[in-house]
Amino acid sequence: MTLNEQNGKRPGGLAALTLAVAGFFGVAVGGSAAEAQSAYGCSGLLESSVIPSVEGAEGQFFAVDPDLRMHLSYADRTVAQIATLSDRLAAGGTRLIHVPMPTKAQVLTDHLPPLARHLGYDAALSTSVYDESRLRLEAAGVRSVDARRALRAAALAGVAPYFGPDRRLDIPGVRALAAAIAAQMQDDPDYEAMPKTAYRTVPGAVGPLPSRMARQLQDHCSAALPGLELPGFDTVPAIGQQAQPLFPGAVPPGRIVLTGADAALDPALNLAGFLAEASGLNVETHRVAGDTGLAALTDLLLSDGFARSRPAYLVWVHPMADSLARFGDAPMQRLAAAAAMDCQTALPVLPSETPNGWRADLQTVAVQGAVTLLVDADGALARKARFDFTGAEGLVRSRSIHRLSTQDGTARFMMPMVGLWPEGAISVDVVLDVPFGPAPRILACRQAG
């Protein structure tokens, strides 16, 4: 159940904890006391069953989750997995640029209200944890953008990098982020030799930007909150120049694919356009609505277009507050296998007894250990895949993949062969939510290292 689905219920988890801590310190969180301290007549923000929040300075609002969460960091294992992904992409000619996105509170530390401290939030500690995680990425050989520093510099320069009643970047923040990403590319020795295109961004008519968070906050405030407005943007090659499409079959070097968190890649914010303007390189965006980064990147790496023509740079924007280990090791292992795509071993297959299922024999080839299975459904576009592994004693262990509701179906699924038995599995039944095409394949993909 999502937080939004808890409307009308008592807050739970982090929200309940913040209320308990506030009560312990005797902090007023609702009613007339809070309303008197609010610039917009807001009350009951922290008790909200939809989006527990606090109001800061200059119309900036901070959601308890994720803004007031502490110790948002990458574990050592996650750092190693991102480094492995970077190495696999580099072996195929693509440089990974990882953009760990900070929380709003880690950037606008001086806009936080005293209530944030009473709730246990230590801004200095939180920002140091972000910085330490990013430095560990660099030490592991991952090109990493210091997004917090870039956005903080924009804030200190007197521009608001975030919308007030929303967690998304405002245009000054988007421009600052694009410049920081471009600067990371410019440190690459191969960047200088890449053909460039001069781009310019033309603003259009100003219009509203829909915001669920602003609507939810407004329910607690008697005065109108600051509106989210921005012009439409059109980034085009300068007069006399023409950019090349990303996947025309034979692409000159110097192209960028931008993927990751949907909130950062919203076309209305024009991150791709500002990145093209700052880098001089053509940028194509690959996003999935509602995604925090893993789904879009997985789709991209498994796509035919990426396999045919790999870009020079893959920019992956990922909010550090969304743990890459939330679903275990399998998602990152899938990414590494997809990046390498060393899938030379076709396994013997036959229809299984389960509807919409095919079985692969795992005894005919040494496929245990550092191996990921690739299923090619021969054109059948599925949204769910279940892998039923059978051991030597007849026991079965199942692993499932469920695509987001906003994702299209796919004919390709990857599943690492981990968490099974010491002696491995003897077979696997792959079951989709649609019938397979007439000639499906199941292949074993090796991962070096």
Side-chain angles (χ1 to χ4, degrees):
M1 178 180 291
T2 66
L3 188 60
N4 288 340
E5 293 170 337
Q6 295 176 6
N7 191 22
K9 300 182 181 180
R10 295 181 59 84
L14 185 57
L17 177 61
T18 57
L19 287 174
V21 174
F24 177 81
F25 282 100
V27 178
V29 295
S32 59
E35 189 169 356
Q37 299 171 10
S38 170
Y40 302 94
C42 302
S43 63
L45 289 173
L46 193 59
E47 302 98 323
S48 172
S49 61
V50 179
I51 182 167
S53 309
V54 296
E55 179 182 348
E58 300 180 4
Q60 294 291 340
F61 290 78
F62 302 86
V64 169
D65 186 6
D67 285 315
L68 300 189
R69 286 167 54 194
M70 295 290 292
H71 307 295
L72 300 175
S73 65
Y74 286 150
D76 289 342
R77 185 170 183 82
T78 300
V79 170
Q81 290 171 331
I82 297 174
T84 298
L85 173 62
S86 178
D87 291 344
R88 300 292 183 270
L89 289 168
T94 295
R95 302 156 187 82
L96 175 67
I97 296 183
H98 185 60
V99 187
M101 289 298 292
T103 64
K104 189 178 185 179
Q106 288 175 327
V107 175
L108 300 181
T109 54
D110 50 355
H111 286 65
L112 290 165
L115 176 58
R117 293 194 300 273
H118 290 306
L119 296 175
Y121 185 74
D122 185 327
L125 178 59
S126 179
T127 55
S128 68
V129 169
Y130 171 92
D131 293 340
E132 188 268 342
S133 289
R134 199 192 62 78
L135 290 174
R136 285 191 290 117
L137 283 171
E138 288 193 346
V142 179
R143 291 184 177 271
S144 173
V145 174
D146 193 343
R148 192 193 73 81
R149 181 178 181 182
L151 297 172
R152 181 65 181 158
L156 293 175
V159 296
Y162 291 88
F163 290 106
D166 195 276
R167 59 173 59 94
R168 284 173 292 181
L169 295 177
D170 201 345
I171 296 307
V174 178
R175 283 190 175 273
L177 182 62
I181 297 171
Q184 181 65 253
M185 293 177 185
Q186 289 159 7
D187 288 339
D188 179 14
D190 295 330
Y191 171 84
E192 187 64 30
M194 293 180 182
K196 309 293 192 304
T197 301
Y199 290 92
R200 60 189 181 94
T201 297
V202 182
V206 175
L209 179 67
S211 170
R212 175 183 296 180
M213 179 175 175
R215 292 195 307 270
Q216 293 168 341
L217 293 173
Q218 187 64 72
D219 290 340
H220 294 272
C221 306
S222 59
L225 298 179
L228 277 68
E229 293 186 336
L230 74 171
F233 293 104
D234 189 16
T235 300
V236 296
I239 297 174
Q241 300 205 43
Q242 184 174 357
Q244 298 291 326
L246 184 63
F247 294 136
V251 180
R255 297 297 180 259
I256 303 169
V257 173
L258 176 64
T259 191
D262 176 51
L265 273 56
D266 186 335
L269 302 179
N270 198 47
L271 177 58
F274 293 132
L275 179 55
E277 194 175 12
S279 66
L281 304 179
N282 188 29
V283 181
E284 179 165 306
T285 300
H286 188 88
R287 61 191 281 263
V288 172
D291 177 34
T292 56
L294 275 173
L297 182 55
T298 302
D299 275 0
L300 174 68
L301 296 185
L302 285 173
S303 68
D304 289 334
F306 188 87
R308 286 196 305 268
S309 298
R310 295 197 173 203
Y313 297 102
L314 173 57
V315 179
W316 182 22
V317 181
H318 182 265
M320 194 175 285
D322 188 75
S323 173
L324 290 172
R326 184 157 50 111
F327 300 108
D329 289 339
M332 290 300 297
Q333 291 176 334
R334 277 196 289 269
L335 289 178
M341 201 52 75
D342 182 12
C343 307
Q344 305 298 322
T345 305
L347 304 177
V349 296
L350 71 162
S352 70
E353 299 174 357
T354 305
N356 299 339
W358 279 72
R359 176 174 298 172
D361 184 357
L362 302 179
Q363 301 179 92
T364 58
V365 61
V367 296
Q368 318 299 334
V371 168
T372 295
L373 298 180
L374 169 64
V375 175
D376 184 339
D378 191 27
L381 300 182
R383 303 183 56 79
K384 299 177 183 178
R386 190 180 77 241
F387 292 72
D388 296 332
F389 292 96
T390 301
E393 296 182 357
L395 298 177
V396 176
R397 291 184 178 176
S398 298
R399 306 285 186 270
S400 296
I401 299 174
H402 296 261
R403 294 172 65 78
L404 297 177
S405 61
T406 52
Q407 283 180 283
D408 295 331
T410 181
R412 290 182 174 181
F413 290 91
M414 299 192 89
M415 178 59 69
M417 292 189 61
V418 294
L420 300 175
W421 301 271
E423 66 275 14
I426 62 173
S427 67
V428 60
D429 285 49
V430 181
V431 183
L432 305 181
D433 59 341
V434 297
F436 278 83
R441 297 183 303 156
I442 301 178
L443 301 98
C445 309
R446 292 276 173 195
Q447 289 184 205

